[in-house]
DNA sequence: AATGAAATCAAACGATCGTTTGAGCATACG
DNA sequence: CGTATGCTCAAACGATCGTTTGATTTCATT
């Protein structure tokens, strides 16, 4: 279809969509290359193996998402006037933006699949490429919620993570009402998630 | 006749564990039957197909889980003195109990996998066998939270579902501290989840 | 135009998948 | 006892999987 894009990019885009729909094992290289309009052998030529392709699909979006989240966090972390909502916005808004621009509408669903997979190698890869972000956010949450024990804080962050991952994996489907502009709809969605997460984190 | 029931049960138990670990497509019938100590052909003989086996794995636990949840809900639904915590307890406690007795420790992880799968036939099956439970709980939530619009309520229930599914899928791993009895640990876990869910549902 | 590296292609590789087969075994009933 | 029925078993089926191969095409550089 998109013959202007490079073969590598077309494979990555088709893989992202197919992984979101059928899973990492359910999507075959033959379906994938047919959808991308490239030869079957192109995957092993450009990526070496299917497992490497899976990692590259994650890296392409995750590097961007991590950078945006950390940049947003840096602007509020440590400041005395920073609120819980500010930190949550730094975590949530970049994911929402990724879903609407940059063509990453299906990536959050791929990420949710990866969270559900309890495969060790995939979890290790995610931990190496995602863990430092969660760690920095956790530090800031701990600063803003000093009344919580470490155990209590980890519990709540885990639950919030589950809620947000679940919700964001549905972004591909949820359609805004036609009488609301996209930017308004995105603001409303962000407000929903932020208020829910703040309530779950800071309840007495 | 009795030996067939034994073979069936062994297949179901091995399938539950292997589906939790490797996913529905990742677990092969050869791994599965080897783990169960039965012949390869036994799956197709007793269940007809692998897809039918997947459904039977769900049915075995889901029928019990649904029955317990609805029974607990029935005891509190509609009563004027019922609180949000009561309804949430009716939803959460049966899942916790299933994880600790009856050998269903891995089932919640299988269920979480199924939620992450966006496969149409599996979602249809879950909707048919799980939807009526969610519908009854939603009705009771709506009664106890009359200040929320329908749209707002659905948003919050969806987020709570994501959080609980995520948390419960980890039950197989989380170990209680040795100085806490299992029943105390279960109570503490239930209290965590109920308070978090109540905060997320009822925040201003 | 000639050259050589990079990219694409059709075809085939061995492995593994879910499923089927037909013979053999067990147990219950006339 | 003989036989029917339910179950188990090793073996094989065709299909599909990820991967590899070697020839061919593409294309920038000389």
């Amino acid at each position: 279809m998109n013959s202007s894009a490079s073969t590598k990019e077309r494979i990555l885009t088709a893989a992202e969509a197919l992984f979101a729909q059928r899973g990492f094992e359910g999507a075959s290289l033959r379906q994938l290359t047919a959808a991308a309009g490239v030869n079957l052998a192109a995957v092993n030529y450009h990526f070496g193996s299917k497992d490497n392709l899976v990692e590259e699909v994650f890296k392409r979006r995750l590097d961007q998402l991590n950078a945006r989240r950390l940049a947003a966090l840096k602007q509020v972390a440590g400041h005395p006037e920073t609120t819980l909502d500010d930190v949550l916005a730094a975590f949530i808004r970049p994911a929402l933006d990724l879903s609407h621009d940059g063509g990453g509408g299906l990536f959050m669903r791929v990420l949710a699949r990866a969270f559900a997979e309890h495969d060790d190698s995939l979890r290790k890869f995610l931990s190496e490429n995602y863990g430092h972000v969660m760690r920095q956010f956790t530090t800031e949450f701990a600063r803003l919620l000093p009344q919580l024990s470490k155990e209590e804080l980890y519990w709540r962050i885990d639950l919030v993570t589950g809620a947000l991952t679940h919700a964001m994996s549905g972004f591909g489907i949820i359609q805004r009402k036609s009488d609301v502009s996209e930017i308004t709809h995105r603001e409303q969605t962000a407000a929903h998630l932020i208020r829910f997460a703040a309530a779950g984190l800071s309840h007495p």
Side-chain angles (χ1 to χ4, degrees), chain A:
Chain A
M1 267 299 194
N2 192 2
S3 55
S4 66
S6 72
T7 298
K8 271 184 110 168
E9 283 297 321
R10 275 191 293 175
I11 291 175
L12 286 170
T13 300
E16 185 175 78
L18 220 56
F19 288 160
Q21 189 190 348
R22 301 202 195 272
F24 306 109
E25 308 209 51
S28 75
L29 293 187
R30 284 170 179 80
Q31 298 171 328
L32 204 157
T33 50
V38 304
N39 187 269
L40 168 62
V43 170
N44 283 276
Y45 177 79
H46 286 284
F47 297 95
S49 70
K50 185 183 181 180
D51 283 345
N52 274 353
L53 171 61
V54 172
E55 293 196 358
E56 290 298 321
V57 167
F58 277 106
K59 273 196 175 169
R60 179 172 69 151
R61 306 285 186 203
L62 218 46
D63 288 350
Q64 190 181 27
L65 179 62
N66 285 343
R68 290 190 188 184
R69 279 177 166 169
L70 290 179
L73 178 62
K74 196 175 183 180
Q75 291 193 335
V76 298
H79 294 190
E81 71 272 21
T82 291
T83 66
L84 192 59
D85 283 22
D86 295 331
V87 180
L88 286 168
F91 188 80
I92 290 170
R93 285 216 161 82
L96 267 166
D97 295 343
L98 187 70
S99 294
H100 286 265
D101 55 53
L106 293 170
F107 176 69
M108 293 308 295
R109 190 173 301 180
V110 179
L111 196 58
R113 265 191 188 274
F115 271 105
E117 303 263 350
H118 285 244
D119 175 78
D120 281 342
S121 63
L122 190 55
R123 290 184 85 79
K124 186 186 168 196
F125 172 83
L126 274 183
S127 168
E128 286 170 353
N129 291 273
Y130 201 69
H132 67 291
V133 178
M134 284 309 299
R135 239 169 281 130
Q136 285 194 238
F137 274 92
T138 298
T139 300
E140 191 63 12
F141 285 137
R143 185 180 74 86
L144 292 173
L145 299 164
Q147 75 277 16
L148 300 181
S149 70
K150 235 176 192 160
E151 191 193 355
E152 179 72 33
L153 180 65
Y154 288 163
W155 255 109
R156 298 189 184 191
I157 288 179
D158 191 47
L159 287 160
V160 165
T161 302
L164 294 182
T165 304
H166 176 82
M168 290 175 178
S169 76
F171 284 167
I173 323 176
I174 298 174
Q175 299 292 342
R176 71 176 196 276
K177 296 176 183 173
S178 55
D179 60 346
V180 184
S181 77
E182 180 181 313
I183 208 134
T184 303
H185 177 254
R186 212 188 305 182
E187 276 307 310
Q188 289 175 347
T189 302
H192 259 113
L193 300 186
I194 290 171
R195 270 186 288 138
F196 180 92
L201 283 177
S202 62
H203 73 264

